[in-house]
Amino acid sequence: MVKSFMRIFGIVKMHRFRFFLSQFMMFVAALATVGYATLIAPLVNEGMVAGNAEAALRIGLWMLVLGLVMGICMAIAASQAVYFSQGAGYVVRRHLYDKIQSYSFENFDHLSTGNLMVRLNADAVNVQNAMQYAIMLGSYAPFMLLATIILAILNTPDLVWVLVIVVAVVLLLMWWLIPAVDRAYKERQERLDDLNQTLQENLTGISVVKAFVREDYEIEKFNQRAEAIRVPALAAAWRVAFLSPLLTGVGQLAIILTIGVGGTQVLSGSGLTVGQVSAFTSYMSLIIAPLALMAIVVPLVLRGDVSAARILQAYDAEPVVDDKDGAVAQDLENIRGHIAFENVTFAFRRPDGELDPPALKNINLAIEPGQKVGFLGATGAGKSALINLIPRFYDVTDGRITIDGIDVRDIPQDNLRQIVGIALQEAVLFQGDMRFNLKYGNPEVEDDVMFAAAKAADSYGFIENLPQKWEAPVARRGYNFSGGQRQRLSINRALTAEPRIVVLDDSTSALDASTEGRVQAAIPGFMHGATTIYVAQRISAVIDLDHIYLLENGEIIAQGNHEELLQSSPLYQEIYESQLGGGVTEGLDLEGVS
């Protein structure tokens, strides 16, 4: 039942000394506790009943020493358990975060951000708490049970049957309650994923919520998710709350039974002494304490095991795109930038492993070194899917893609993404300063390169006008800049890394035509003959390029330069007229266009 929880123990290696020290201290504390209990019978019989003050004082001093030893050892054990559990939480978060960084885009398609956040935070805390209490109390309780039963058999065999009944009842109650608690915890964590995802989506898109006055709808949706958590959480909580007093009550009833049975034998003189009955009631107290501890620890461990399984599920997920054995890094200085797609087909994969219908179908094309190429098409035509295959954000389903004749799968990903720089559709910036963001792809690059890239991206002017210029603060996701400014900074970041192939994935969509024209005119001078790929829905973004590919439903349906496509492609002509105004093709020789 706690297989995942135990596996986490195996991962936490650096803090094992703390674990073993805590368990040794708990063992000594348990011995001291048992020794304390064994002195009760002689204290009563030899001291109190016999009226021997010296014996009572001697035994009492030994009990005092054992009590101090027990307290000191448990304090040391608790401190080491806290240190170990905190270290375990750190290791779990670090390992999982490291693994998440190795994920491919497809992994993130199937594991949402909210889901991963819950595993890194709430699940890690559950594992941490479970470890702390399991280490502090988990070994102490079973040892105390075993030692108490042995003492009872040796010293008061006539009352052992009471212990047997208590243990049987306790095991029956736990068998009844614990599986339901485990199921409730699993459902609770799954519902927590949904709640966290709803919260993240709402806060990220709060401007849309406000713009469409949908606060009441979002409040109700959040309430539904919160209620979905409350139900399994309540089911687990009431069982846990019920378990501890129930076990304590069983133990107290057993003490009453012990006093009744033992007291009768003492009064009748049939074998038991007052000291033995007192000692056995002490044994029962020693059993009650471990039972109460088990009532605390077992639910915590079950919760920790559920969370550990979720953490390990994310940790065991392998990146879909991985480096091949024998992949060879390429020298950027030797990269010419020739790109070829050879019979490329690509389909997204669903969470169940099945493939969706192909997003790209039998793509064949060649981009020459230094060429400026554009991919044009409507939303869903497959443009972004196509260019995402070049830096291996996804891998082709069939066919292959080469750079200078080398299959991209034969190049290590970190090296490939130095060769291919990309400004993505969503211009995301990170909290920090301007210089940090612009040098994100190459922190060691000279400032002069960053400045030149800024001029090419048309961001130099507005950065220089900021009060703190290149040290200006950047808010989370760059929200303190306009959409057009974020796009120019994203292009700036891609260029500053000095790639040999640069891909602009619809990254000028927020720019006005004049700014877009300046950016396109300036980039070739900065790139020094590197290959440049533009992805766009607006024809103005590709009109001056060397070659344009027109995509529809995942296929290339036309290609050529602007003039050639105007003559040969009805769809290109339709896009041109619809975007740039009616009548723009008047006077063109369109005979033969079908």
Side-chain angles (χ1 to χ4, degrees):
M1 184 180 288
V2 291
K3 182 179 179 181
S4 299
F5 186 67
M6 294 306 296
R7 184 178 161 197
I8 296 290
F9 265 100
I11 293 174
V12 185
K13 296 178 181 178
M14 66 181 71
H15 301 293
R16 285 184 178 176
F17 172 76
R18 306 277 182 176
F19 169 74
F20 289 119
L21 178 59
S22 69
Q23 297 310 287
F24 176 74
M25 289 293 106
M26 291 303 296
F27 176 72
V28 174
L31 287 178
T33 304
V34 170
Y36 184 95
T38 60
L39 292 177
I40 293 177
L43 176 68
V44 173
N45 291 333
E46 299 173 19
M48 297 179 181
V49 176
N52 188 336
E54 182 180 348
L57 179 60
R58 184 182 69 254
I59 296 171
L61 287 174
W62 275 110
M63 293 177 73
L64 177 61
V65 170
L66 290 174
L68 289 173
V69 170
M70 177 183 63
I72 292 171
C73 288
M74 291 195 73
I76 295 174
S79 68
Q80 298 306 303
V82 169
Y83 193 100
F84 179 87
S85 62
Q86 292 293 325
Y90 163 75
V91 171
V92 165
R93 288 189 183 92
R94 191 195 70 193
H95 282 3
L96 181 56
Y97 188 78
D98 289 351
K99 187 56 177 283
I100 290 171
Q101 295 304 304
S102 74
Y103 279 1
S104 306
F105 278 37
E106 186 175 315
N107 295 96
F108 291 108
D109 292 341
H110 302 156
L111 279 172
S112 68
T113 302
N115 183 298
L116 292 172
M117 290 293 289
V118 170
R119 297 181 196 220
L120 279 166
N121 291 300
D123 284 321
V125 169
N126 287 343
V127 170
Q128 185 174 299
N129 291 338
M131 283 195 173
Q132 179 175 330
Y133 286 98
I135 292 170
M136 287 174 58
L137 308 174
S139 61
Y140 180 78
F143 180 82
M144 290 301 301
L145 284 173
L146 180 61
T148 301
I149 292 172
I150 292 173
L151 285 174
I153 292 173
L154 294 175
N155 298 326
T156 53
D158 293 344
L159 296 175
V160 170
W161 61 273
V162 178
L163 282 178
V164 173
I165 291 175
V166 170
V167 172
V169 171
V170 168
L171 291 177
L172 182 63
L173 289 172
M174 295 184 74
W175 175 81
W176 173 51
L177 289 172
I178 294 304
V181 172
D182 187 42
R183 290 192 298 270
Y185 280 143
K186 288 179 180 177
E187 184 178 354
R188 175 186 177 277
Q189 291 305 106
E190 291 172 358
R191 300 287 77 79
L192 184 59
D193 286 343
D194 295 337
L195 180 70
N196 201 65
Q197 185 68 21
T198 298
L199 179 62
Q200 183 188 34
E201 184 179 63
N202 176 268
L203 295 180
T204 302
I206 193 65
S207 57
V208 178
V209 175
K210 294 289 185 183
F212 288 92
V213 198
R214 295 290 281 170
E215 293 91 342
D216 290 342
Y217 168 78
E218 292 295 333
I219 289 170
E220 178 59 28
K221 184 168 71 172
F222 184 85
N223 287 341
Q224 291 175 1
R225 301 291 189 274
E227 177 65 17
I229 287 181
R230 190 186 69 84
V231 173
L234 180 62
W238 82 260
R239 286 177 171 86
V240 172
F242 181 64
L243 183 59
S244 183
L246 182 62
L247 296 181
T248 302
V250 169
Q252 295 296 335
L253 290 174
I255 289 177
I256 294 172
L257 180 61
T258 298
I259 293 174
V261 174
T264 301
Q265 291 192 27
V266 170
L267 292 175
S268 64
S270 57
L272 290 176
T273 65
V274 175
Q276 286 177 310
V277 174
S278 299
F280 191 81
T281 58
S282 177
Y283 300 156
M284 291 304 305
S285 297
L286 292 180
I287 279 191
I288 292 172
L291 292 179
L293 294 177
M294 289 173 63
I296 297 171
V297 171
V298 170
L300 281 172
V301 171
L302 289 177
R303 185 190 301 179
D305 186 60
V306 169
S307 291
R310 287 164 48 82
I311 289 170
L312 291 171
Q313 180 191 35
Y315 181 77
D316 290 337
E318 292 299 327
V320 179
V321 176
D322 205 359
D323 289 340
K324 289 173 59 176
D325 292 336
V328 179
Q330 305 298 311
D331 186 348
L332 267 65
E333 296 297 326
N334 296 328
I335 295 295
R336 296 170 54 246
H338 181 277
I339 304 170
F341 281 65
E342 301 174 7
N343 301 313
V344 169
T345 295
F346 170 72
F348 291 100
R349 192 177 303 276
R350 297 194 295 264
D352 62 6
E354 295 297 317
L355 293 175
D356 283 330
L360 297 171
K361 308 163 192 172
N362 197 35
I363 300 295
N364 287 279
L365 62 87
I367 302 173
E368 297 301 322
Q371 200 172 25
K372 295 182 296 180
V373 171
F375 291 95
L376 182 68
T379 300
K383 306 182 301 296
S384 291
L386 187 147
I387 59 97
N388 281 340
L389 298 177
I390 301 173
R392 292 191 70 201
F393 293 155
Y394 296 88
D395 266 342
V396 298
T397 305
D398 287 306
R400 71 171 191 155
I401 300 169
T402 64
I403 295 177
D404 293 350
I406 304 169
D407 193 317
V408 293
R409 291 169 293 191
D410 292 329
I411 304 173
Q413 291 178 72
D414 57 354
N415 178 233
L416 177 62
R417 290 165 192 172
Q418 290 175 323
I419 297 170
V420 182
I422 188 166
L424 296 167
Q425 280 181 315
E426 184 181 6
V428 176
L429 303 176
F430 296 100
Q431 191 169 10
D433 61 34
M434 186 67 69
R435 191 183 304 274
F436 162 76
N437 273 277
L438 298 182
K439 291 188 177 185
Y440 194 77
N442 186 1
E444 306 303 322
V445 73
E446 297 291 335
D447 281 356
D448 288 345
V449 175
M450 178 181 69
F451 297 151
K455 291 173 181 176
D458 200 47
S459 59
Y460 187 89
F462 79 78
I463 295 175
E464 279 290 313
N465 287 328
L466 296 172
Q468 294 169 272
K469 301 184 186 302
W470 304 93
E471 279 69 44
V474 177
R476 182 179 61 87
R477 299 180 71 86
Y479 285 146
N480 55 332
F481 294 98
S482 70
Q485 287 175 326
R486 288 200 299 272
Q487 283 198 335
R488 282 182 279 170
L489 291 173
S490 177
I491 296 170
N492 192 164
R493 177 174 57 195
L495 298 178
T496 300
E498 297 186 288
R500 299 302 302 146
I501 299 168
V502 66
V503 179
L504 305 180
D505 184 6
D506 207 14
S507 53
T508 59
S509 58
L511 305 184
D512 60 83
S514 175
T515 304
E516 183 179 53
R518 288 198 304 271
V519 171
Q520 287 192 339
I523 286 177
F526 174 83
M527 292 297 294
H528 306 298
T531 305
T532 310
I533 299 173
Y534 295 84
V535 175
Q537 296 182 57
R538 294 191 318 198
I539 206 166
S540 61
V542 299
I543 197 169
D544 294 324
L545 301 182
D546 299 326
H547 203 82
I548 303 167
Y549 293 91
L550 185 59
L551 275 74
E552 187 176 43
N553 297 323
E555 297 180 282
I556 297 173
I557 60 169
Q559 59 176 297
N561 60 32
H562 171 65
E563 289 76 14
E564 291 169 344
L565 286 171
L566 272 182
Q567 294 290 334
S568 63
S569 172
L571 178 59
Y572 188 85
Q573 179 189 344
E574 179 183 335
I575 296 171
Y576 186 51
E577 290 193 351
S578 66
Q579 292 185 2
L580 299 182
V584 294
T585 58
E586 288 183 9
L588 292 175
D589 181 10
L590 299 180
E591 290 186 12
V593 175
S594 57

